[in-house]
Amino acid sequence: MSDKAISGADVRTLRTRRLLTDALMSLGAEGSVDDIAVGELAAHAGVSRSTFYQHFASKDDFLVRSFVNMLVAMNATMRQRHPDRGDILPAQPLFHHVAMAGEFARSVARSEIWPLQMAAGELKLRELAEAVLPQRMPHWNAEERREAAVFLAAGLIGLLRWWVDNGMKQTPERMQAAFERLSNSVLSG
């Protein structure tokens, strides 16, 4: 298979996933995420059910993987755009994205998949933190960095859950500042 064919397949895959994500956000903002059927999601995205199932095992798989992939993309973008910033995790883009998603975020928070998304997100954030901590905290041993990664990932997810569950009354900037303050207290020790 040529590079051009692989790249074309990747473009189609990314396009399909973007269409599905946009459809989910639109439908989820209108009602319960739990009530969205795969057929309805696929139709709203302009793709077939079989296309959906070529990419995902179920709606829950789609929701969890989409959240995790979003965290990875936010982290990569943050590191590319701000290589000199000392952020361990992508708190700023995460809080801003959730604030912009508004009703969709509240719908997801009321859904049955929310705890699974948060658990999967926490695991991915832990991996992301573990990848950054050796450069940020070279004087710490591997176990200390692992402990910090666990704590920071759980802290970010905990703040996110608390914020969304309580109606997102604070600004994203306030939530980011809270995470930075708490993170810095861990990293200064």
Side-chain angles (χ1 to χ4, degrees):
M1 188 179 280
S2 73
D3 288 341
K4 194 172 192 176
I6 292 170
S7 134
D10 290 343
V11 168
R12 286 190 308 273
T13 296
L14 292 174
R15 180 181 171 277
T16 298
R17 291 180 180 181
R18 169 56 40 208
L19 289 169
L20 288 166
T21 299
D22 290 347
L24 177 70
M25 291 186 73
S26 174
L27 292 168
E30 297 169 5
S32 170
V33 170
D34 290 331
D35 294 339
I36 300 170
V38 169
E40 178 185 16
L41 178 63
H44 198 81
V47 301
S48 69
R49 282 175 52 96
S50 63
T51 297
F52 176 90
Y53 286 115
Q54 287 174 353
H55 296 272
F56 304 100
S58 65
K59 181 180 74 174
D60 289 354
D61 177 47
F62 169 62
L63 288 165
V64 170
R65 286 177 46 200
S66 293
F67 181 67
V68 169
N69 290 339
M70 179 187 74
L71 293 172
V72 170
M74 286 177 173
N75 188 63
T77 300
M78 177 188 75
R79 301 216 179 285
Q80 182 181 22
R81 289 184 183 165
H82 308 287
D84 297 332
R85 283 189 58 152
D87 298 43
I88 302 293
L89 294 172
Q92 179 187 29
L94 178 59
F95 285 120
H96 280 273
H97 176 76
V98 171
M100 287 175 36
E103 280 308 311
F104 173 72
R106 285 186 266 286
S107 178
V108 171
R110 291 185 301 267
S111 73
E112 293 176 8
I113 197 65
W114 176 247
L116 292 174
Q117 279 184 310
M118 295 300 99
E122 185 176 329
L123 287 174
K124 181 50 72 176
L125 289 169
R126 187 183 305 169
E127 288 176 23
L128 296 173
E130 282 190 60
V132 173
L133 283 168
Q135 295 87 11
R136 179 84 188 268
M137 306 303 285
H139 57 285
W140 284 6
N141 66 42
E143 189 62 26
E144 291 170 323
R145 290 191 298 265
R146 191 171 305 112
E147 292 163 352
V150 167
F151 186 83
L152 293 170
L156 181 52
I157 290 296
L159 279 173
L160 178 65
R161 289 179 78 154
W162 172 81
W163 184 52
V164 174
D165 289 346
N166 288 288
M168 298 189 290
K169 295 176 183 134
Q170 298 79 7
T171 65
E173 293 81 12
R174 170 75 181 104
M175 296 309 299
Q176 177 196 354
F179 180 71
E180 285 179 10
R181 184 182 72 253
L182 296 168
S183 297
N184 289 338
S185 70
V186 170
L187 299 172
S188 66

